[in-house]
Amino acid sequence: MKSQRAELVAEAAITLLAERGMRGLTHRAVDEEAGLPPGSTSNLARTRLALLELALERLTELETAAFTALLDIDAGEPPTSDTLVELTAQVLWVQLTVDRRRTVARYELALEATRRPELRRVYDEAGGRFRAPVVMILAAAGSPDPVRHGRQVVAFGEGVMFDAIVGAGAAPTLDDLRLGVGELLRGMLPGSVSQPET
């Protein structure tokens, strides 16, 4: 993020996206949410696309910080599958609880990106920052097909979060997440994930 003002505007935009949806995101509303003088947001992000990109940039920064433990796991010793299960479950849990506001805002931006090619490009670039490390982590853990498995792990995580936040499913517990991630990884890394105690 380029400045404290930009960070403040981006955080306000994220809050509005989560609370009011895409229609509730206006330059004036961001000024009010951020406690800034009228016109401040327009001076920083003149167009709606620029405002959306600013929010997405901030979301990417925040999610990168939240995923640091998982993204840095490939340093040093190869990760054990049990470690991957725990870290993946913890990341999903945080996204569904502590960072729920940001997750909802990201889904708003994802849907908007399907209608705005310029935003789609930025969104896909941001997503690539998370997908590539997942492939590397799975390769280090012994996956025989880390690219395909990486796509499946990301799809699993996105599906769980989407279902819990906007779907009809009940929000999973942390133990539910551990169980589901473990079952997924057992199919990718046979014999290396501990069976849950019964």
Side-chain angles (χ1 to χ4, degrees):
M1 197 57 53
K2 299 173 183 177
S3 67
Q4 287 186 335
R5 175 65 62 91
E7 184 175 313
L8 181 61
V9 166
E11 285 286 351
I14 290 167
T15 296
L16 289 169
L17 284 169
E19 293 179 354
R20 304 183 194 176
M22 196 59 64
R23 289 188 176 185
L25 181 68
T26 65
H27 286 74
R28 178 179 295 179
V30 172
D31 286 339
E32 293 173 357
E33 178 68 27
L36 295 172
S40 297
T41 299
S42 293
N43 288 335
L44 188 65
R46 293 200 174 276
T47 67
R48 183 172 179 79
L49 177 62
L51 182 57
L52 293 172
E53 289 178 350
L54 191 68
L56 182 55
E57 179 185 347
R58 179 61 178 160
L59 276 173
T60 303
E61 287 179 357
L62 294 169
E63 290 187 338
T64 298
F67 296 164
T68 295
L70 187 59
L71 297 178
D72 288 346
I73 197 173
D74 60 332
E77 292 293 319
T80 67
S81 296
D82 288 339
T83 298
L84 289 180
V85 168
E86 183 61 26
L87 288 175
T88 303
Q90 290 285 348
V91 165
L92 291 173
W93 176 250
V94 169
Q95 290 291 97
L96 291 172
T97 56
V98 179
D99 294 340
R100 181 184 174 87
R101 173 188 69 109
R102 296 200 298 249
T103 304
V104 173
R106 183 164 61 83
Y107 285 140
E108 287 284 346
L109 288 166
L111 290 171
E112 185 68 9
T114 65
R115 298 178 286 270
R116 286 178 175 259
E118 309 95 329
L119 188 62
R120 176 87 266 163
R121 177 184 54 78
V122 177
Y123 190 89
D124 288 347
E125 287 175 1
R129 297 182 195 179
F130 300 101
R131 291 173 183 269
V134 170
V135 172
M136 289 189 297
I137 291 166
L138 288 171
S143 165
D145 193 348
V147 173
R148 181 170 60 85
H149 288 162
R151 287 196 302 266
Q152 291 174 341
V153 168
V154 171
F156 172 85
E158 291 288 0
V160 167
M161 290 190 296
F162 192 85
D163 184 59
I165 289 176
V166 302
T173 65
L174 183 54
D175 284 340
D176 290 335
L177 294 171
R178 289 183 180 119
L179 183 61
V181 173
E183 289 169 342
L184 179 70
L185 289 183
R186 271 198 300 278
M188 299 175 180
L189 309 169
S192 57
V193 179
S194 298
Q195 294 286 339
E197 295 183 5
T198 55

